């Protein structure tokens, strides 16, 4: 069937609500407004205000309440409108959700799912364009997912809800309108493995989430130059699929990491370090990185475009990696 | 409570009132032992004792049902003990031993116990309030008539999470009892130096939460207020709020030279020691003989002694277990 990323997530929420009475959705404007990004449009009419719960603008309060409800036996889906606002809830995410199981010696797990929009590219300027999923992936106790395809938008939520521990799902804002074909029986997908989205032999382009379409476009541009790029979609940022990362590097011997987050201390640094640790002797070139420029994301279109990873920068980095071929 | 009211309560059920005295004494003696053990380096990390504030936990816990939930702070040894967590497991936890209630993962500030629905032990001021709101939300959505009690200090009132939580609880009419232990100091910052409005019950009332202040040094007054509030919450009356006016006799933690308050003030409050007050009232009513007091002291001393012996005999969790409990070990539901 024809669908969009937005509709696929909505279908996943609807499916979860139908399958498990303990599941409910809460967040700012998820009900009457239909969701800040229209993901939950229509669900209030379908499931009622008890299970589609509008919240005040109290990120720490309702994320913490979601954690408490999870402790109390529910399976909450908490929507934070954007990653930028999630900073107001970091105490609850980092100090409670991530720690309670360990601090309690294994007594209290927290089966919460927190969804939020992430990323830039829509001229929303510095306070609405953060890509902080790599930051969150720093925290033990959490699982961090970044669905980039319709299949993952449809399938990751149920798997996350079945996880006994906290799962954060980062949905890139530029993906919601992506349309395509999805199997009628599409359902839950695994959240443990990375996926090769394009097989290739010359260089590995390693990315996730909202940058995947840009990277696939870059791979096509490289193909015109007879450079055969493999594209690895990480899908899950914590825990990382080390086997898949090593496998692609063993195959192509060159790696370019593309991440919309900043370079310094970001997940791209982690990926580069892991490749160095686990596949150093397979490398024929230094690991390259294409990240956002280290500025708060600006409003003006040309400046924003220059700040974020682009096809041109990815192609240039891949060419340089391949040019280093001994 | 007035002397007359106290005498009446004692006359009505002397056994019960002696039980409250016993509960406060259990906390007092356990905490005194903790201070000793800290000085002897048996307990490390931060240690915050509840000495002086025992009437609050004793009065509130007395009226809870077994399936109610409790969320507390980092000054929570007394809450854990009176909620029913064994002194042995509490002490072993502070020793960092595998036999502790959290297998040595939490320590003094993070006591948890699933069996008594004791949800910590939260060392971020106000961090527990949203959890309590969520626990109550789960009960309400599931149609259960349970109460979640959330303890926090008056310092939490300055945090955004306090205001967000009170608003949510009232907006959604949730079965939570908020218990603000107002001991007048957030670490070293006096209430009047941190709040423009120092009437805390009034702040709660602004959110349409039924709220009133209680003498937190009078265990009978605390119990009476808690019973009224818990009954109302359980009966569907929505969130309630008690401001329990109390005082911490000891330093904030073991690292506190107490430069911020006068000795005379501490001495003045110590004249209202909740244990001394209740013991005197019981004796004045002829409901506590010196033999009974002595027996009580001995019983409590034995409990503390057993707890220390249990902790001393405890074992260290093998380092190979370090990375357990970061993620759940059981398969998904």
């Amino acid at each position: 069937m024809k669908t969009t990323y937005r509709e696929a997530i909505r279908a996943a929420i609807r499916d979860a609500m139908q399958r498990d009475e303990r599941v409910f959705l809460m967040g700012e404007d998820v009900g009457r407004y239909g969701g800040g990004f229209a993901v939950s449009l229509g669900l209030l009419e379908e499931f009622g205000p008890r299970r589609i719960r509008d919240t005040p603008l109290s990120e720490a309060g309702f994320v913490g309440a979601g954690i408490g409800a999870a402790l109390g036996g529910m399976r909450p889906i908490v929507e934070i409108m954007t990653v930028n606002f999630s900073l107001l809830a970091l105490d609850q995410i980092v100090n409670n959700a991530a720690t309670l199981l360990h601090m309690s010696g294994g007594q209290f797990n927290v089966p919460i799912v927190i969804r939020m929009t992430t990323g830039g590219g829509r001229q929303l300027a510095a306070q609405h364009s953060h890509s902080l999923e790599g930051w969150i992936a720093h925290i033990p106790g959490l699982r961090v997912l970044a669905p980039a395809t319709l299949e993952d938008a449809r399938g990751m939520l149920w798997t996350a809800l079945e996880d006994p521990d906290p799962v954060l799902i980062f949905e890139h804002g530029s993906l919601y309108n992506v349309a395509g074909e999805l199997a009628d029986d599409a359902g839950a997908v695994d959240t443990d493995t990375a996926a090769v989205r394009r097989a290739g032999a010359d260089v590995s382009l390693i990315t996730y989430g909202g940058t995947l379409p840009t990277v696939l476009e870059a791979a096509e541009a490289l193909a015109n130059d007879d450079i055969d790029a493999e594209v690895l979609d990480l899908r899950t940022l914590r825990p990382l699929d080390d086997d898949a990362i090593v496998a692609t590097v063993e195959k192509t011997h060159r790696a370019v990491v593309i991440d919309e987050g900043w370079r310094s201390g970001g997940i791209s640094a982690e990926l580069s370090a892991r490749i160095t640790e686990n596949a150093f002797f397979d490398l024929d070139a230094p690991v390259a990185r294409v990240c956002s420029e280290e500025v708060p994301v600006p409003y003006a279109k040309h400046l924003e475009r220059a700040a974020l990873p682009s096809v041109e920068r990815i192609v240039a980095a891949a060419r340089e990696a391949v040019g280093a071929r001994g | 409570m007035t002397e007359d009211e106290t005498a009446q309560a004692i006359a009505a059920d002397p056994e019960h009132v002696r039980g409250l005295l016993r509960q406060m004494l259990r906390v007092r003696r356990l905490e005194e032992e903790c201070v000793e053990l800290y000085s002897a380096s048996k307990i490390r990390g931060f240690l915050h004792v509840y000495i002086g504030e025992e009437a609050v936990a004793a009065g509130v816990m007395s009226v809870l049902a077994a399936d109610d939930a409790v969320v507390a702070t980092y000054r929570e040894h007394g809450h854990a003990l009176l909620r029913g967590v064994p002194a042995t497991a509490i002490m072993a936890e502070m020793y960092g031993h595998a036999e502790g209630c959290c297998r040595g993962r939490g320590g003094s500030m993070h006591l948890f116990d699933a069996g008594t629905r004791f949800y910590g032990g939260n060392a971020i001021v106000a961090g527990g309030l949203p959890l309590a709101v969520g626990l109550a939300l789960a009960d309400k959505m599931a149609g259960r008539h349970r109460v979640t009690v959330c303890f926090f200090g008056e310092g939490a009132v300055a945090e955004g999470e306090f205001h967000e939580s009170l608003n949510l609880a009232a907006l959604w009419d949730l079965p939570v009892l908020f218990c603000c232990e107002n001991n007048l100091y957030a670490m070293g910052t006096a209430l009047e130096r941190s709040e423009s409005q120092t009437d805390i019950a009034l702040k709660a009332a602004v959110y349409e939460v039924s709220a009133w202040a209680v003498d937190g040094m009078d265990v009978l007054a605390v119990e009476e207020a808690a019973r009224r509030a818990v009954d109302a919450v359980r009966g569907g009356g929505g969130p309630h709020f008690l401001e329990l006016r109390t005082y911490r006799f000891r330093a904030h933690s073991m690292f506190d030279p107490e430069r911020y308050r006068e000795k005379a003030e501490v001495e003045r409050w110590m004249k209202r020691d909740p244990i001394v007050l209740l013991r005197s009232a019981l004796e004045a009513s002829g409901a506590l003989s010196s033999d009974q007091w002595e027996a009580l002291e001995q019983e409590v001393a034995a409990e503390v002694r057993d707890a220390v012996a249990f902790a001393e005999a405890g074992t260290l969790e093998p380092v190979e277990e370090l990375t357990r409990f970061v993620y759940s070990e059981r398969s998904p539901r």
Side-chain angles (χ1 to χ4, degrees):
Chain A
M1 66 179 157
K2 190 94 174 150
T3 191
T4 64
Y5 185 91
R6 172 185 291 107
E7 287 164 0
I9 296 170
R10 186 186 306 141
I13 296 171
R14 178 184 293 120
D15 183 30
M17 301 274 291
Q18 288 167 345
R19 284 167 83 157
D20 190 339
E21 189 52 41
R22 299 172 302 174
V23 173
F24 67 101
L25 174 70
M26 112 173 120
E28 293 154 354
D29 275 326
V30 298
R32 288 187 178 217
Y33 191 97
F37 293 85
V39 169
S40 52
L41 192 64
L43 296 180
L44 174 65
E45 291 71 18
E46 202 171 337
F47 296 100
R50 183 178 153 274
R51 295 179 72 196
I52 304 293
R53 213 166 250 280
D54 278 321
T55 66
L57 310 191
S58 304
E59 286 81 3
F62 68 75
V63 170
I67 295 167
L71 289 170
M74 301 299 283
R75 291 293 181 275
I77 304 169
V78 176
E79 176 177 310
I80 304 178
M81 200 178 284
T82 82
V83 66
N84 314 282
F85 312 154
S86 78
L87 300 182
L88 294 160
L90 272 187
D91 169 46
Q92 290 299 326
I93 295 169
V94 179
N95 280 321
N96 281 338
T99 64
L100 288 175
L101 181 69
H102 192 80
M103 287 199 303
S104 67
Q107 294 180 83
F108 290 119
N109 62 300
V110 183
I112 188 175
V113 173
I114 303 172
R115 299 173 37 245
M116 66 187 90
T117 305
T118 187
R122 289 162 293 139
Q123 281 197 268
L124 299 175
Q127 294 180 340
H128 275 65
S129 302
H130 287 309
S131 292
L132 297 175
E133 51 277 3
W135 233 33
I136 291 295
H138 180 64
I139 313 294
L142 306 177
R143 179 179 284 265
V144 178
L145 310 181
T149 64
L150 297 179
E151 286 77 13
D152 283 350
R154 175 66 181 84
M156 279 184 164
L157 181 69
W158 182 251
T159 311
L161 283 165
E162 285 201 305
D163 197 310
D165 301 314
V167 180
L168 286 89
I169 304 180
F170 289 86
E171 301 160 5
H172 197 289
S174 68
L175 294 175
Y176 285 122
N177 289 330
V178 169
E181 277 296 321
L182 182 67
D184 288 343
D185 63 350
V189 296
D190 91 86
T191 56
D192 295 319
T193 59
V196 174
R197 301 297 185 196
R198 183 189 194 282
D202 296 333
V203 59
S204 297
L205 307 180
I206 301 173
T207 192
Y208 66 90
T211 317
L212 179 66
T214 314
V215 172
L216 287 168
E217 200 183 326
E220 291 311 310
L222 288 164
N224 294 334
D225 288 350
D226 285 335
I227 297 171
D228 187 18
E230 176 147 302
V231 176
L232 184 70
D233 173 7
L234 293 167
R235 302 180 66 243
T236 297
L237 300 186
R238 187 178 189 101
L240 285 167
D241 182 356
D242 283 319
D243 291 346
I245 296 164
V246 168
T248 188
V249 174
E250 280 178 346
K251 183 178 173 192
T252 68
H253 308 292
R254 292 166 184 81
V256 180
V257 178
I258 304 99
D259 173 24
E260 199 181 304
W262 291 299
R263 174 190 299 257
S264 300
I267 190 102
S268 68
E270 177 65 27
L271 289 159
S272 175
R274 288 196 189 208
I275 292 166
T276 310
E277 287 165 355
N278 300 328
F280 181 76
F281 295 106
D282 285 296
L283 286 171
D284 284 347
V287 177
R289 288 190 279 163
V290 178
C291 303
S292 284
E293 290 296 330
E294 305 229 351
V295 295
V297 177
Y299 161 73
K301 192 176 178 113
H302 68 295
L303 292 178
E304 182 183 41
R305 189 185 291 149
L308 304 180
S310 61
V311 171
E312 297 75 30
R313 284 169 62 200
I314 297 163
V315 165
R319 278 204 180 118
E320 191 173 333
V322 173
R325 189 183 333 218
Chain B
M1 282 189 174
T2 64
E3 272 179 41
D4 282 354
E5 286 168 334
T6 302
Q8 280 168 22
I10 292 169
D13 193 346
E15 184 68 39
H16 177 73
V17 180
R18 280 194 298 269
L20 290 172
L21 180 67
R22 174 176 171 272
Q23 293 293 59
M24 292 195 290
L25 196 64
R26 289 176 69 212
V27 176
R28 177 70 55 92
R29 297 293 178 252
L30 185 75
E31 295 287 51
E32 287 168 347
E33 186 66 27
C34 287
V35 172
E36 292 296 316
L37 292 166
Y38 198 91
S39 302
S41 296
K42 296 284 189 180
I43 300 173
R44 298 284 80 188
F46 284 150
L47 181 78
H48 312 86
V49 297
Y50 198 56
I51 293 171
E53 305 184 36
E54 296 92 341
V56 174
V60 175
M61 297 299 177
S62 163
V63 304
L64 299 186
D67 62 351
D68 290 336
V70 175
V71 178
T73 69
Y74 52 86
R75 194 182 303 284
E76 89 289 25
H77 311 158
H79 306 82
L81 183 71
L82 300 192
R83 182 56 188 161
V85 185
T88 47
I90 293 171
M91 193 58 87
E93 183 61 28
M94 289 196 244
Y95 269 60
H97 283 165
E99 293 77 10
C101 57
C102 303
R103 307 173 70 120
R105 299 294 208 286
S108 161
M109 299 194 288
H110 305 295
L111 304 173
F112 289 83
D113 183 55
T116 55
R117 301 199 69 224
F118 190 76
Y119 291 91
N122 199 307
I124 305 296
V125 172
L129 278 90
L131 296 191
V133 168
L135 284 161
L137 174 62
D139 283 336
K140 179 161 177 145
M141 290 185 76
R144 292 181 296 244
H145 296 283
R146 308 194 296 201
V147 175
T148 298
V149 179
C150 184
F151 294 90
F152 51 91
E154 89 292 340
V157 170
E159 296 281 1
E161 287 177 325
F162 168 89
H163 298 273
E164 294 185 10
S165 298
L166 258 69
N167 181 51
L168 272 177
L171 189 69
W172 292 346
D173 204 25
L174 300 179
V176 194
L177 173 60
F178 295 103
C179 290
C180 179
E181 303 179 314
N182 179 4
N183 67 16
L184 299 175
Y185 292 91
M187 221 167 108
T189 303
L191 180 60
E192 67 268 16
R193 292 204 299 119
S194 65
E195 289 294 315
S196 58
Q197 170 55 265
T198 57
D199 185 337
I200 292 171
L202 180 63
K203 282 177 191 284
V206 165
Y207 292 102
E208 300 291 316
V209 174
S210 298
W212 65 95
V214 184
D215 179 358
M217 306 308 263
D218 179 345
V219 69
L220 291 170
V222 173
E223 188 188 41
E224 191 269 333
R227 179 171 290 120
R228 193 145 60 92
V230 165
D231 286 351
V233 172
R234 203 184 305 284
H240 279 59
F241 187 105
L242 300 178
E243 178 195 342
L244 302 137
R245 294 185 174 159
T246 183
Y247 200 76
R248 154 168 70 67
F249 292 172
R250 299 292 180 97
H252 165 74
S253 72
M254 301 304 286
F255 299 98
D256 169 15
E258 295 187 74
R259 293 190 192 96
Y260 50 84
R261 63 182 188 184
E262 300 294 329
K263 280 208 166 59
E265 179 185 287
V266 181
E267 281 161 15
R268 203 162 57 244
W269 275 92
M270 285 177 81
K271 290 192 181 121
R272 300 210 63 238
D273 183 321
I275 294 174
V276 173
L277 288 182
L278 189 65
R279 182 186 168 190
S280 305
L282 279 161
E283 286 171 346
S285 296
L288 184 72
S289 68
S290 57
D291 281 356
Q292 280 174 308
W293 171 255
E294 194 49 43
L296 190 57
E297 279 279 25
Q298 283 183 16
E299 182 214 327
V300 171
E303 183 185 24
V304 173
R305 207 164 46 239
D306 289 350
V308 175
F310 180 83
E312 285 281 347
T315 57
L316 296 174
E317 189 144 82
V319 171
E320 294 74 49
E321 309 267 287
L322 169 66
T323 56
R324 289 185 67 190
F325 316 124
V326 179
Y327 298 97
S328 293
E329 293 170 5
R330 62 179 175 281
S331 54
R333 53 179 178 171

